[in-house]
Amino acid sequence: MLALRLTRGSHLAVQLRRLLVAVASAGTGFLLLCTLGYAMGHPDSPAAAALRLGWCATPLAATVYFAVAVARTDPATKPRPGLSAIGLGPGRLMAISATTTALACTLGSMLALLFFLHLRGDLTGMPFDGAAAEFLASDQPLPLPAALTLLALVPVIASVSVALVLRPRDLRPASEKGPARSYGRFGVQGRPDRRETFGAYGRFGAHLRAGARGSEPAEQPAQTEQSEGADTTAHDPSRPPPPREAPRGLPWGIAVLAAGLAVEAYANRTRNGGGLSLPGGLADGPASVLAGWVLTAIGLALAGPGLTHLCGRLLQSVSPGALRLLAGRVLMEEATRIGRPLGVVCAVASGGFAMTALYDADAPAFGPLTTLGLLLVTGCTVATLLTAALEAKHARADTTAALLRLGAPATMLRSAAALRAGALLALFLPLTLFVAELAALPLAGR
């Protein structure tokens, strides 16, 4: 009930993002139901039905990824002072966010079921003169348990993913957490520096004196006065915060990307005429090509934060001015938040470019299900990137307001945003085209 109240009282932009999650869930659920209809209409080809179900994993992953991004930017489930006093701690807010995501995805799944039943003619007459009867198996009764199981995949996976991502965790630095707690004899917290005999705890006040000695604060070092010319801007709260350390996933991303390209090249050399039939009239290829594409996409997603951090560092090189310094510092600060969705978009764009290059002009046009799947994957990844950019904008709202109070012109902030977008485009666009060209080589037979 609380999740419903928070959902109803949210801002219009938040409601629009949840509606987009419901639409993505409806599209994915409809693809899953169409796979069930194909399996019912072709009982003699279970391998083809399993392959169609496997192709639905990509829209499913894109939908879940978008649902998690929307849940992260939901202002109704952000921890705020005073909420823990009324029982709304981080764990309860995480549960509310997961419930809200499940409600949105369930709404989309129910819409997919209604549309699927309408196309089958179970609710009204057969629409479109029965054009959809072939792949929906309208002449057979629909197994309701199987349909509900497929429709439950998106709400369950999305809500579990949101709960795992938003689970309460200690965000304090390691220096502020202190040493890990250990337990001594009889469950007493804290382990003494020296070993004590068995009868030490029997002496009156011995454990109290030991606890008092262990709880005394460490002696603070003497503070020295700042010398003339010392840089005091590092402690100025109105300045942009110092950038975080570089993400450590760039070497792993490059390694996985190289492994994916190597698997595709090896699949091209060992081609034996059999393999998977790609949808939409694309060329056939061995099953290892699909594994290579998956590794390539994972590598780009892992390398995205590191490449974004590197792009921000390059912007600040060679005597930067205030504009380049601000743009590069923001890119380095938001490398993890922006870089991963950007890497996923790069992977999807490279895959789409490779599919377009491999498309046979003599083959029939893309079918409706293939077009729906491509629209789902592309739309969810682009919407996730835009949602991450909006989250980054809200995260640095205090810094932007402080810069405006210091007299920074608004045109400078807009120019810095345009510079960041241009720098990312200049780095990721050639990388996307290069990876797409290498990914298309095995199936093109070059």
Side-chain angles (χ1 to χ4, degrees):
M1 186 60 67
L2 181 59
L4 289 175
R5 291 180 178 178
L6 291 176
T7 301
R8 186 181 60 182
S10 300
H11 194 267
L12 181 61
V14 179
Q15 300 284 12
L16 179 60
R17 291 197 292 268
R18 291 171 180 165
L19 181 61
L20 291 178
V21 171
V23 170
S25 176
T28 305
F30 182 74
L31 288 178
L32 293 172
L33 291 177
C34 290
T35 302
L36 176 62
Y38 181 85
M40 294 168 52
H42 302 80
D44 54 343
S45 55
L51 180 61
R52 287 174 174 261
L53 184 62
W55 281 114
C56 293
T58 304
L60 176 61
T63 302
V64 171
Y65 191 50
F66 178 50
V68 172
V70 171
R72 285 172 56 93
T73 58
D74 193 349
T77 56
K78 295 293 184 182
R80 292 184 294 273
L83 291 182
S84 298
I86 59 175
L88 292 179
R92 185 73 179 275
L93 292 177
M94 177 268 296
I96 292 175
S97 182
T99 305
T100 304
T101 303
L103 290 175
C105 294
T106 302
L107 175 62
S109 298
M110 292 300 102
L111 292 177
L113 180 60
L114 292 177
F115 187 65
F116 182 78
L117 294 176
H118 174 67
L119 291 181
R120 281 174 50 91
D122 296 338
L123 301 180
T124 57
M126 182 68 68
F128 306 115
D129 298 331
E134 180 181 357
F135 61 91
L136 297 183
S138 59
D139 56 341
Q140 302 181 19
L142 179 66
L144 192 58
L148 294 180
T149 301
L150 290 177
L151 290 177
L153 289 178
V154 179
V156 170
I157 297 177
S159 58
V160 171
S161 301
V162 169
L164 291 177
V165 171
L166 300 182
R167 68 186 185 277
R169 56 172 63 91
D170 193 357
L171 300 179
R172 293 179 303 169
S175 59
E176 298 181 3
K177 294 180 181 179
R181 290 183 178 180
S182 58
Y183 293 87
R185 295 188 181 97
F186 310 110
V188 179
Q189 292 187 2
R191 190 179 301 274
D193 296 336
R194 58 183 179 85
R195 294 186 60 86
E196 298 177 351
T197 61
F198 180 78
Y201 280 89
R203 301 188 187 98
F204 179 75
H207 61 286
L208 297 178
R209 291 191 298 270
R213 288 194 302 266
S215 62
E216 290 181 358
E219 183 179 358
Q220 299 294 334
Q223 297 182 354
T224 57
E225 297 182 357
Q226 293 183 349
S227 58
E228 295 182 0
D231 186 10
T232 59
T233 59
H235 303 281
D236 190 356
S238 63
R239 300 304 178 95
R244 301 175 181 175
E245 60 179 3
R248 301 178 181 180
L250 182 58
W252 289 102
I254 295 176
V256 175
L257 177 61
L261 296 176
V263 168
E264 295 176 10
Y266 180 76
N268 187 30
R269 295 182 57 184
T270 59
R271 176 179 297 184
N272 52 8
L276 300 177
S277 178
L278 302 182
L282 299 179
D284 296 341
S288 55
V289 172
L290 179 60
W293 279 8
V294 171
L295 289 177
T296 301
I298 295 176
L300 288 174
L302 290 177
L307 292 176
T308 304
H309 191 275
L310 178 62
C311 188
R313 186 174 293 276
L314 291 177
L315 275 179
Q316 302 177 78
S317 60
V318 192
S319 301
L323 182 62
R324 286 198 293 139
L325 186 63
L326 179 61
R329 181 63 63 88
V330 171
L331 276 183
M332 294 174 66
E333 178 68 20
E334 305 294 340
T336 303
R337 183 180 284 114
I338 297 296
R340 199 171 302 281
L342 190 58
V344 174
V345 170
C346 182
V348 172
S350 62
F353 182 82
M355 292 175 64
T356 304
L358 294 173
Y359 181 73
D360 190 1
D362 298 332
F366 286 162
L369 298 182
T370 303
T371 304
L372 177 60
L374 293 177
L375 289 178
L376 274 175
V377 174
T378 305
C380 287
T381 51
V382 174
T384 302
L385 177 60
L386 296 178
T387 304
L390 181 62
E391 182 185 7
K393 180 181 179 181
H394 290 166
R396 61 174 184 272
D398 295 338
T399 302
T400 302
L403 290 174
L404 291 176
R405 287 196 304 267
L406 287 176
T411 55
M412 179 181 178
L413 300 179
R414 290 192 292 266
S415 300
L419 183 60
R420 292 195 302 269
L424 292 176
L425 188 64
L427 178 63
F428 280 92
L429 182 59
L431 177 64
T432 302
L433 297 178
F434 177 72
V435 173
E437 186 66 24
L438 292 181
L441 286 179
L443 296 183
R446 300 175 186 175

